[in-house]
Amino acid sequence: MEYEHQLMAMQISPADAHGTTPGKEQQAAGVGILLQIMMLVLSFVLGHVLRRHKFYYLPEASASLLIGLIVGGLANISNTETNIRTWFNFHEEFFFLFLLPPIIFQSGFSLSPKPFFSNFGAIVTFAILGTLISSVVTGILVYLGGLIYLTYRLPFVECLMFGALISATDPVTVLSIFQELGTDMNLYALVFGESVLNDAMAISLYRTMSLVRSHASSGQNFFMVIVRFLETFVGSMSAGVGVGFTSALLFKYAGLDIDNLQNLECCLFVLFPYFSYMLAEGLGLSGIVSILFTGIVMKHYTYSNLSENSQRFVSSFFHLISSLAETFVFIYMGFDIAMEQHSWSHVGFIFFSIIFIGVARAANVFSCAYLVNLVRPAHRQIPLKHQRALWYSGLRGAMAFALALQSVHDLPEGHGQTIFTATTAIVVLTVLLIGGSTGTMLEALQVVGDGLEGTLSESFEGNNGYIAPSYNEEASSGNRIKMKLKEFHQSTASFTALDRNYLTPFFTSQNGDEVEELDEPMPSSARGGFQGHGQHSR
């Protein structure tokens, strides 16, 4: 009798339990995937047309989000079958494990090392200290707003969680317009570098605050929060750098750069980034930080150990999958925003949150720029117009949306839903409205335009903007060593000498000068954040 019950249970599939047959489920899956492909094609074509006609009021990211919103809205009012709609549900796991890794890796892989490392101190200041300031200021303002009945009242830790998730910036539109109109490469490096490291910082802060919320708050807990955050960030960075260096040594000594092994060479290269991401996630660290630094290290060291054909293939491959992933993220997000249930009963929370975020972004940018300018010489100061451009480039995107969706599960029902609705409104507002006015605003600030176009390539020379000066190696051997030791403590530019004299010869089969040439891609190929699909106009 027990055997018969087991047999009957095996025969009833989940599809049958819902009153649908497996064939019907497969058909629904086919229709769902077909709609996704059609929206991707439409997004790429529309983006190309917009760029070709230099129509900056609807950037590619905004167009993709708008397509998702329109199709999602039509599906919602037309009572589309539930089993088709499930294919468009925004799953945080799918986003973090499949869509995000190629995007973040390509961000690190396409990084121009000279402007990035010349401004590394400023980038880290904006991304780590600045994000912390932004998160705390937002959290405190939201909490105070609740106390005086301006906004929906949330517990203090939940306000800090909201501050952390909404501090993840996504300046896709700004970076795309920088490339189109031309700008100073240092400003591009600051906006780009901050946005990538800022994502990792926001996730680490959110997870840390979530951990605090699940335990009793105390002074000891606050100390453990700091220790846990540093442990996560440094551990993730070490894991990423370690995997990158391991791949460099493998490709240097394995002898794979011959014609009949190029397929194996490319396969191994493609697997290493995912290995880095999953290793960090498996160890309870941040996969984003890990894969970002793996991308930077693999481009600088491993890439030069590949054969020429493999170099061309991996560059095109990662560009391709990151472009697809980025475009799909915005469509996916737009569709889900239109389909999700939202809590619009707390409009005041949304309105004041937008104001609080602008104030927090200003506190982040101007305080960090002030600190950076204190330690920089006069010719390397960050100009006020660049600071204003940094403030304006703090758009919110897919990372904030994914963390907000996660907060629906992490927080009590009403609280999580309110935070999710507010984040959704902020993402749509910044991507569609602010994103559309970005070109006009940046031209008004005089940080883009024909007059500055040359600086994208010229700034590599270190003679304009505020890029760090290169070394004078004509000094005697003893003086050169002393100079290097002194500059190592004073400027990140000394990393170039360490890299050229020790790291490059050890991890690659070429000398430092040759690799420096390889590592200077054309600025138009530099990419940032979630904006890869904006590259297909030419």
Side-chain angles (χ1 to χ4, degrees), residues 16-62:
D16 293 329
H18 291 289
T20 56
T21 62
K24 192 75 172 176
E25 285 288 316
Q26 190 173 353
Q27 183 184 7
V31 172
I33 294 170
L34 176 64
L35 282 172
Q36 293 171 351
I37 292 172
M38 288 171 64
M39 287 192 289
L40 276 170
V41 171
L42 179 60
S43 180
F44 278 114
V45 171
L46 183 59
H48 172 73
V49 171
L50 290 171
R51 285 169 64 90
R52 190 172 182 181
H53 291 86
K54 299 185 184 298
F55 186 80
Y56 299 124
Y57 297 103
L58 186 66
E60 294 82 1
S62 304

Side-chain angles (χ1 to χ4, degrees), residues 171-235:
V172 42
T173 303
V174 181
L175 293 169
S176 178
I177 290 174
F178 279 173
Q179 292 177 359
E180 281 292 299
L181 301 181
T183 190
D184 184 83
M185 182 55 100
N186 295 281
L187 176 59
Y188 186 97
L190 279 178
V191 174
F192 168 64
E194 186 219 1
S195 70
V196 177
L197 289 178
N198 155 283
D199 284 348
M201 177 74 178
I203 288 178
S204 300
L205 278 175
Y206 177 84
R207 289 178 178 174
T208 304
M209 289 301 143
S210 182
L211 198 66
V212 170
R213 183 187 168 275
S214 61
H215 298 82
S217 298
S218 67
Q220 185 182 5
N221 264 351
F222 180 73
F223 175 73
M224 291 306 295
V225 163
I226 298 173
V227 171
R228 173 62 182 160
F229 171 75
L230 292 175
E231 181 184 283
T232 301
F233 199 86
V234 175

Side-chain angles (χ1 to χ4, degrees), residues 126 169-178 182-184 186-192 194-195 358 361-362 364-366 369 382-396 434-435 437-449 452 466:
F126 281 110
T169 60
D170 185 10
V172 42
T173 303
V174 181
L175 293 169
S176 178
I177 290 174
F178 279 173
T183 190
D184 184 83
N186 295 281
L187 176 59
Y188 186 97
L190 279 178
V191 174
F192 168 64
E194 186 219 1
S195 70
R361 178 70 181 169
N364 163 1
V365 171
F366 296 114
I382 302 176
L384 183 59
K385 63 181 182 180
H386 285 189
Q387 295 176 36
R388 289 171 178 163
L390 271 168
W391 175 78
Y392 197 78
S393 65
L395 283 71
R396 269 58 176 181
I434 298 179
S437 63
T438 299
T440 306
M441 177 61 74
L442 294 178
E443 285 178 346
L445 291 174
Q446 298 181 336
V447 295
V448 294
L452 289 169
Y466 40 91

Side-chain angles (χ1 to χ4, degrees), residues 294-524:
T294 298
I296 294 171
V297 171
M298 288 186 75
K299 178 57 183 290
H300 197 52
Y301 301 104
T302 314
Y303 185 76
S304 61
N305 292 332
L306 299 177
S307 61
E308 286 186 16
N309 287 339
S310 296
Q311 286 181 354
R312 284 194 293 270
F313 172 80
V314 296
S315 295
S316 301
F317 176 78
F318 284 115
H319 190 182
L320 169 68
I321 62 169
S322 67
S323 297
L324 285 170
E326 288 159 358
T327 309
F328 186 66
V329 161
F330 280 97
I331 294 172
Y332 195 31
M333 187 166 58
F335 196 96
D336 196 72
I337 287 171
M339 302 287 282
E340 283 283 342
Q341 295 295 321
H342 296 283
S343 173
W344 297 108
S345 57
H346 303 290
V347 179
F349 185 86
I350 298 169
F351 176 76
F352 285 103
S353 292
I354 293 169
I355 296 173
F356 296 158
I357 288 163
V359 172
R361 178 70 181 169
N364 163 1
V365 171
F366 296 114
S367 62
C368 288
Y370 176 76
L371 291 175
V372 170
N373 286 340
L374 278 180
V375 297
R376 281 189 166 187
H379 68 284
R380 297 188 63 219
Q381 300 273 306
I382 302 176
L384 183 59
K385 63 181 182 180
H386 285 189
Q387 295 176 36
R388 289 171 178 163
L390 271 168
W391 175 78
Y392 197 78
S393 65
L395 283 71
R396 269 58 176 181
M399 183 64 68
F401 180 80
L403 289 175
L405 199 56
Q406 192 171 319
S407 75
V408 175
H409 309 300
D410 294 343
L411 299 178
E413 188 174 342
H415 298 182
Q417 200 65 38
T418 301
I419 286 176
F420 175 65
T421 302
T423 305
T424 296
I426 291 164
V427 168
V428 172
L429 179 72
T430 56
V431 172
L432 292 182
L433 299 183
I434 298 179
S437 63
T438 299
T440 306
M441 177 61 74
L442 294 178
E443 285 178 346
L445 291 174
Q446 298 181 336
V447 295
V448 294
D450 295 333
L452 289 169
E453 194 161 5
T455 61
L456 273 168
S457 56
E458 290 168 8
S459 63
F460 281 115
E461 302 300 323
N463 294 326
N464 50 22
Y466 40 91
I467 232 170
S470 57
Y471 299 111
N472 176 14
E473 294 199 346
E474 295 177 1
S476 65
S477 177
N479 288 338
R480 188 165 66 244
I481 292 171
K482 289 178 183 177
M483 179 184 69
K484 286 177 183 175
L485 288 173
K486 183 178 178 181
E487 289 188 0
F488 185 82
H489 295 287
Q490 293 179 343
S491 171
T492 54
S494 64
F495 176 79
T496 308
L498 175 70
D499 171 51
R500 184 171 58 244
N501 295 333
Y502 303 104
L503 297 179
T504 296
F506 183 76
F507 287 106
T508 72
S509 52
Q510 298 173 334
N511 62 45
D513 295 331
E514 289 173 341
V515 174
E516 263 190 23
E517 292 174 9
L518 285 172
D519 276 340
E520 288 187 20
M522 291 298 291
S524 61

Side-chain angles (χ1 to χ4, degrees), residues 118-140:
S118 294
N119 295 285
F120 188 71
I123 289 169
V124 169
T125 303
F126 281 110
I128 296 181
L129 178 62
T131 306
L132 182 62
I133 291 171
S134 182
S135 301
V136 172
V137 170
T138 304
I140 290 173

